[in-house]
Structures are given as structure tokens and as C-alpha cells.
Amino acid sequence: MVLKDALTLSYRTVVSYRLRALLILLAMALGVAAVVVLTALGDGARRFVVSQFASLGTNLIIVLPGRAETSGGFPGALVGQTPRDLTLDDAASLATLRGVMRYAPLNVGASEISAGGRLREVTVLGSTAELIPIRNMKFAQGRFTAGSGPNPAEIVLGSALARELFPAGDAMGQRLRLGDRRFRVTGVLASQGESMGFNTDEIAVIPIDHAQSLLNTQSLFRILIEAQSRSMIEPVKAAIRSTLTVRHDGEEDVTVITQDAVLSTFDRIFRALTFAVSGIAAISLAVAGILVMNVMLVAVSQRTAEIGLLKALGATRQDIKRLFLLETLWLALAGAGVGIALGYAGSLGLRLAYPQLPAYPPAWASLAAIATAILTGIAASLLPASRAARLNPVLALSKR
Amino acid sequence: MIELSGISRIFTMGDQEVRALNRINLRIGPGEYLSVMGPSGSGKSTLLNIIGLLDLPTHGTYRLESRDVTALSEAEQAKVRRERIGFIFQSFHLVPRLTAAENIELPLILEGLPPAERQARVQAALQQIDLSDRAHHRPAELSGGQRQRVAIARATILNPAVLLADEPTGNLDHKTGAEVVALLEKLHHAGTTVIVVTHDRELGGRAHRRIQMRDGEIVGDES
Ligand SMILES: Nc1ncnc2c1ncn2[C@@H]1O[C@H](COP(=O)(O)OP(=O)(O)O)[C@@H](O)[C@H]1O
Ligand SMILES: [Mg+2]
């Protein structure tokens, strides 16, 4: 028998037993749909967390003063000793390191802001113009040009803050008071919303020199560095550490962290979770497989006489095995197709219900679900098919 | 062309042994028209099944067209069944979800012939059994006689050397039974070896060689 004819013949058999076909198809489809939806959920959660981190800036390295003691060292040695300040000169010394794309010194404080009779408390970031690209912030209007030297008194407002202080939308160029100093508005940030609990819509950004005198400090809160690429993160980190250690008289008294490390940990955790969840969903496919096997066993015993006839007509065992295998495969394939459709619909439903969650089924999950459905179909048909092939034709024909 | 020597078929049911065939010796030449008669349980069907390679003897050798066919592999036996042997049953055994034409086409599909050739052969076969106008009817829409004619067309579509019929008229009334017998005899005239198992004395008497069986043995063989 030619494969094409076996395909046609088994397809015709499948469609002529509607109820049986529907039952198997449904079982397979539900299993596949479960795999697709649950992986979409897991992968969506992973992407959500990753995008939250990415909105903080890519390839970001953060330097903070003080040594985060994790292990070893002399427990008593640092007691009572305040870490050395992190200065603007320290920050400038990092600019020329290989692999550094840009850097921004950062001071953060709270201050009172007032304009046109309105007064409120605001979080102030003091930095240079580089802060904006490093932190992935965008301008709705204007710009920020502060360097690390003396700067004019300019201020950039978060979108919500600008709206609140200047409801008419004419913030650009206006003068306002921050603490006891006067600033001119040179830019308004585009609305970005909250990311990792920090709302850029509610902040004000001023040049670093003004921030340091406003907050009355010479010590930086952070230095933000953007590496040229992901692969440069580690070498840049090492270079920062050694440069600052030399500058601080051989004392390694800064902490260098990367969000990349945190990010990849989360990434790994969520990937593992997704696999686990889809593995659990795959169990429902295995259950479907057992159901399919039983239905096919019933089919074999119902069609005993027909199998006997095929043998009398000269079908080999191989032919008969193949017919039953293909029958199951048709159903598994159709079930996988319907299941994928259901799974995508379910994922769409998830996305509609939780718009923040990018619950897209990953391509590998759909492929894995189809492959599992086909393997399940093959496994489930092995026993029925070989039982059919081994039937004694004389006994089979005598059964009516 | 059929040579049975010392053929026995013993069924064991628990600790009981049933000798369905007991040391049968039988030679049948090409083109013979032969009937097998005898009481129920005398081993007629078992003999036919062994000749048709649906069953294997417990003892003895069976040569078909000078080949020891009992020694062949399962796949080779299937090929012999497909190409050299045609079977007809009392209960027709048509596949209910396939049309008359598709039932007749089955052996051609198993043989792996291309669709165009299959169509031509099926058309010709339908014409031979005078059922061209029923080609696309399912078995349930055909009369008993029509069904058996479809079964005969199916059994002979690959021009087998031997046609084996186990009580082919058992489920038919006298008139349609006669039509079926006429068809079998037409095939015999065309050169096919025809072996008919029957209870019907009249049908059995028409054969040129008549075999009588009792208790698994051949007790009469007249020409
Ligand atoms: N599969 C089987 N298992 C056990 N006994 C069988 C089997 N097939 C046939 N027999 C026995 O073999 C004998 C011959 O049967 P069979 O060839 O069908 O006779 P007939 O066709 O002449 O009526 C009977 O006694 C029957 O009960
Ligand atoms: Mg019988």
C-alpha cells in the first residue's frame, strides 16, 4: 500500500466515525491548549519583569559608596569607619575607561518646589545631561544640557509635575523656585509611568552642581554608567573597581552592581517556572493519550471483521498497523491544530484581562505542544495498531 | 496447481484437541471447478482457509503453483493472498462506509497501483457484474445479490488463480443465488480455478468435481 492511499483511507475512516473523532480531538485539543496558555502565562510574567528592569536603562552599571560586606574580611575592621565619599572627580575618572559609553553622577533629595502660587514637595535628581539616555527617559518638550562643570540654573520637570504646576501647559521657559533657589524650566519629560516603584512623572531634574549646593553635600549618591554592550559589562565593572580603589588609596570602599545580574536571575527563575508549568500541562496531554488509546482499542474490536477482511484481501500486518497509526495521527494533528487555536485565543483572553501582562505563547511552546501531541498519538496507537495487525484473520472474519 | 499432502489442522481448546482436518491429501489442477460438501463441522471452512492462506496447517505441506507456501514469511503470504487468491464469504464482508466502487478498489490500493489504473479497472469490473449504475452506492443501499456480486468483483479484480467461496449463496434467495452462481461459472470459463463450499445440493452438483467431507477427512471425490 502506498503512503498517500493509506493517508486517504485512514482519513476517510476518521471522518466517518464522527463522535469518536470529536472525543479524541477534544481531549488532544484541551491538552495542547493547556500547554500553550500556561506557557504564555509563564513567559508573559517573565517578560513583564524583564521589561520592568529594562525600562531602567540597558547595560546599566551602578556605583554606590560603601562596601557591601558579603563575606570574609575583618568584622571589626570597618566598625566606626565611614566610607570615603564618592566625588564628581571619581565619576569623571570613569569616563575614559574602555567600554564605557556614558556616565552620569547622581544626587537625590527632596525639596519644596513652588510656581505661580502652587507649592509642593518633590523628589529632585541632580545629574548631567547623560542621565536622560542612561535612564531611558524621553523629552516631551525642550532639553537638558547640564555638564559636570558650572551650569545655568535650569530644571526639567516630570510630566505630571509640569501639569500640576503649570495647568495651562506653558511650563517651558517659566521660572520657579526650588528650595531657596530660582530655576528656569528648559524641558518637560514624556509621560512614562511607574517602573520598579519609581515614578519619573513626578520628579524634577537639575544640574549636579546646583543639586549639591541645594542639598549641601559633596558626596554623590550614585554614579550611573552605561556599558557599550552587554558583553562589556563585566570588564567595565572590574575596571571601575580597580580605578576607584587606586583613587581611594588602595581601599576598595565602593559597591558596583549591575541590574544585568538581577535581571538574569529573574530571567532564569521565570524560565524554570514556565518549563515546570508547561510540564504540568503536558500531563493533561498524557491523560489524553490514555483516553485515545482506549478509544482506539474499542475501535479495533469494533472493526475486527473489517481487519479480517483486509487480511483476506492481502493486506500485510504492516499495512494494518499503518492504517491505525495514521488514523490516530490525523486525530492528534487535528487536535493539536484546534488546541493551538484555543491556546492562542486563551492567551488573547489573558492579555485582554491583564493588559500589562504580555502573555504571548512562545513559539517553542506551540512547537513542543504539537510534537507532544503527535508523539502521544503515536504512543497511544502502538498497542491498538499492533493488536489489530496480530488478529487471527479466520477468527476476525467469523466475528460479525 | 494446489497440492495438499498430509495436511492436519488441530485446534486446542484448553486440554481438548479438535482435529478439524485429518491427514488430507488433495490435488487440484488449474481451471478446475470444484465443490466441497459435507455436514456442519466436517472441516470444509478450515480446508478453504488453509488453501487461502488465512490459516496454517498443524502438519503437512501445501504447495501452491509448485511453491511451498506455508514456509513463506507473513508479508510474502499476504502478497500471495493479494495476487493469487480471491475470497468470497457467506456474509459478503463489504466495508459499510465505502461505496461499491471503493470496496472493489481495495485490493488495488493494497497492491499499490496508481489511481488512474485503479479507476479504469474498477469501471471494467462494475460493468462485468452489471452494477455500473450502483457504483457510488453504499452496501446498505444494495440488495444481497448485488452485495455478493460486488464482493466477487472485489475478489477477482487482480485476476487471481484461485477463487474460494465459502457458502456464497447461504444468505441469498434462490433467484439471486442463481445469479451469483452464474457469475462464478463465468469466471471459471475465463480460466479461474473455482472452489465452492456449499450445503446446496443443486449448486454443489453443478461443479465438475465434487468432494465430500466428514470429520475432517475427504470421504468422496467424484468427477
Ligand atoms: N478457531 C477454532 N477453534 C476451535 N475449534 C475450531 C475453530 N475453528 C473450527 N473449529 C472446529 O473445527 C471443526 C471444523 O470446523 P469448520 O471447518 O468450520 O467446519 P464446517 O465449515 O465444515 O462447518 C469444528 O468442529 C469446529 O468446531
Ligand atoms: Mg463453515
Side-chain angles (χ1 to χ4, degrees):
Chain A
M1 188 167 31
V2 185
L3 179 62
K4 184 175 159 285
D5 292 323
L7 281 170
T8 319
L9 214 54
S10 55
Y11 175 77
R12 298 213 32 196
T13 311
V14 165
V15 294
S16 65
Y17 292 94
R18 291 246 165 76
L19 190 67
R20 182 187 67 134
L22 269 179
L23 189 68
I24 293 184
L25 198 143
L26 195 69
M28 284 288 199
L30 287 180
V32 170
V35 171
V36 172
V37 170
L38 287 175
T39 44
L41 187 64
D43 203 55
R46 180 184 70 83
R47 282 198 231 192
F48 176 71
V49 170
V50 168
S51 74
Q52 288 282 297
F53 273 97
S55 68
L56 289 181
T58 43
N59 303 330
L60 185 62
I61 302 169
I62 301 165
V63 183
L64 45 147
R67 181 97 175 97
E69 281 299 328
T70 47
S71 65
F74 306 95
L78 286 172
V79 171
Q81 189 178 342
T82 48
R84 206 176 300 244
D85 288 346
L86 208 49
T87 64
L88 272 171
D89 287 343
D90 284 337
S93 75
L94 304 179
T96 52
L97 292 180
R98 216 177 86 75
V100 170
M101 179 127 99
R102 47 187 154 226
Y103 79 100
L106 181 66
N107 276 102
V108 178
S111 184
E112 255 176 9
I113 193 166
S114 62
R118 294 181 183 80
L119 180 79
R120 61 163 283 186
E121 189 84 356
V122 72
T123 300
V124 180
L125 306 189
S127 189
T128 60
E130 309 282 62
L131 174 74
I132 308 297
I134 289 179
R135 283 292 317 269
N136 271 353
M137 293 189 274
K138 302 270 181 303
F139 282 105
Q141 286 175 290
R143 59 214 174 96
F144 186 54
T145 56
S148 46
N151 290 293
E154 42 185 51
I155 187 166
V156 171
L157 302 178
S159 61
L161 182 64
R163 229 176 302 121
E164 190 176 327
L165 295 176
F166 305 101
D170 55 351
M172 284 296 291
Q174 298 269 16
R175 291 183 182 281
L176 53 68
R177 180 174 288 279
L178 187 67
D180 54 357
R181 289 151 181 275
R182 297 181 66 78
F183 287 86
R184 200 170 65 87
V185 178
T186 61
V188 175
L189 292 174
S191 175
Q192 272 182 310
E194 200 159 337
S195 77
M196 300 300 287
F198 188 75
N199 195 342
T200 52
D201 295 349
E202 299 280 358
I203 58 164
V205 185
I206 58 174
I208 184 78
D209 50 331
H210 293 276
Q212 291 201 338
S213 57
L214 179 77
L215 302 170
N216 192 24
T217 176
Q218 290 300 308
S219 172
L220 292 175
F221 174 64
R222 296 282 189 268
I223 305 172
L224 307 181
I225 292 120
E226 185 177 338
Q228 277 162 0
S229 66
R230 201 182 170 95
S231 60
M232 288 307 290
I233 289 177
E234 279 310 311
V236 168
K237 244 174 102 169
I240 291 170
R241 226 180 248 128
S242 63
T243 305
L244 292 181
T245 304
V246 169
R247 286 184 58 85
H248 292 186
D249 305 326
E251 192 100 46
E252 197 180 325
D253 58 359
V254 297
T255 301
V256 184
I257 57 174
T258 57
Q259 65 162 338
D260 195 58
V262 187
L263 189 58
S264 60
T265 305
F266 269 105
D267 195 66
R268 271 201 307 278
I269 292 172
F270 274 93
R271 272 184 205 281
L273 266 176
T274 307
F275 276 122
V277 160
S278 49
I280 292 167
I283 292 175
S284 64
L285 261 178
V287 173
I290 292 168
L291 177 81
V292 170
M293 186 173 82
N294 279 295
V295 173
M296 289 308 291
L297 280 174
V298 171
V300 169
S301 70
Q302 277 175 343
R303 302 219 308 269
T304 300
E306 182 185 324
I307 295 162
L309 168 81
L310 284 175
K311 287 199 163 183
L313 293 180
T316 61
R317 283 185 190 178
Q318 205 55 41
D319 288 336
I320 289 167
K321 223 183 237 177
R322 209 206 251 176
L323 282 174
F324 277 91
L325 179 82
L326 289 178
E327 252 181 63
T328 326
L329 269 189
W330 278 118
L331 291 166
L333 270 180
V338 172
I340 294 276
L342 279 179
Y344 272 81
S347 309
L348 178 66
L350 269 179
R351 296 200 297 274
L352 291 178
Y354 306 99
Q356 280 191 309
L357 191 68
Y360 294 93
W364 65 261
S366 308
L367 292 180
I370 294 174
T372 316
I374 289 171
L375 285 180
T376 307
I378 292 174
S381 69
L382 285 182
L383 181 65
S386 77
R387 188 171 285 186
R390 278 186 289 111
L391 276 180
N392 175 338
V394 175
L395 292 181
L397 281 164
S398 66
K399 199 182 154 186
R400 295 231 43 204
Chain B
M1 67 175 264
I2 292 171
E3 265 185 85
L4 302 175
S5 33
I7 293 285
S8 296
R9 178 65 169 106
I10 302 165
F11 293 106
T12 31
M13 313 242 292
D15 51 358
Q16 237 180 339
E17 283 197 349
V18 180
R19 256 176 200 276
L21 294 178
N22 192 14
R23 287 192 283 270
I24 296 276
N25 295 303
L26 183 64
R27 294 171 73 95
I28 301 168
E32 278 198 58
Y33 177 15
L34 187 138
S35 69
V36 182
M37 300 187 69
S40 196
S42 58
K44 306 182 296 293
S45 295
T46 305
L47 178 65
L48 214 60
N49 289 336
I50 283 176
I51 293 175
L53 285 177
L54 281 182
D55 197 4
L56 293 176
T58 318
H59 303 293
T61 54
Y62 167 24
R63 299 171 78 81
L64 175 66
E65 298 179 311
S66 341
R67 235 183 352 161
D68 184 354
V69 284
T70 50
L72 296 178
S73 73
E74 192 273 334
E76 287 167 328
Q77 287 184 352
K79 188 172 158 69
V80 172
R81 277 203 296 269
R82 193 159 68 232
E83 294 174 352
R84 309 306 296 151
I85 296 167
F87 259 108
I88 302 162
F89 310 92
Q90 179 174 0
S91 52
F92 323 132
H93 281 302
L94 298 181
V95 180
R97 56 179 186 282
L98 299 182
T99 64
E102 288 165 342
N103 265 287
I104 297 173
E105 196 186 0
L106 272 176
L108 304 176
I109 292 176
L110 292 173
E111 181 72 359
L113 296 181
E117 189 182 343
R118 298 202 304 246
Q119 287 316 312
R121 285 214 198 187
V122 170
Q123 290 314 317
L126 279 163
Q127 218 146 43
Q128 270 223 314
I129 58 169
D130 218 9
L131 281 178
S132 294
D133 55 334
R134 294 281 188 278
H136 303 298
H137 288 230
R138 281 169 207 269
E141 300 157 355
L142 299 175
S143 73
Q146 290 173 332
R147 283 184 220 178
Q148 193 61 299
R149 271 145 66 196
V150 170
I152 292 174
R154 184 178 63 188
T156 53
I157 188 88
L158 279 169
N159 302 316
V162 194
L163 183 59
L164 306 171
D166 196 346
E167 316 227 13
T169 58
N171 278 356
L172 301 175
D173 61 35
H174 189 77
K175 185 173 158 289
T176 49
E179 284 170 22
V180 165
V181 171
L183 189 51
L184 289 178
E185 289 178 356
K186 193 165 127 192
L187 288 162
H188 156 64
H189 285 303
T192 313
T193 307
V194 175
I195 305 177
V196 183
V197 166
T198 185
H199 273 119
D200 184 338
R201 289 190 174 282
E202 191 191 326
L203 169 54
R206 292 177 66 90
H208 305 155
R209 182 175 169 194
R210 299 165 293 279
I211 285 181
Q212 279 289 332
M213 287 191 73
R214 179 167 301 147
D215 296 335
E217 293 181 9
I218 293 177
V219 293
D221 183 350
E222 49 187 66
S223 309

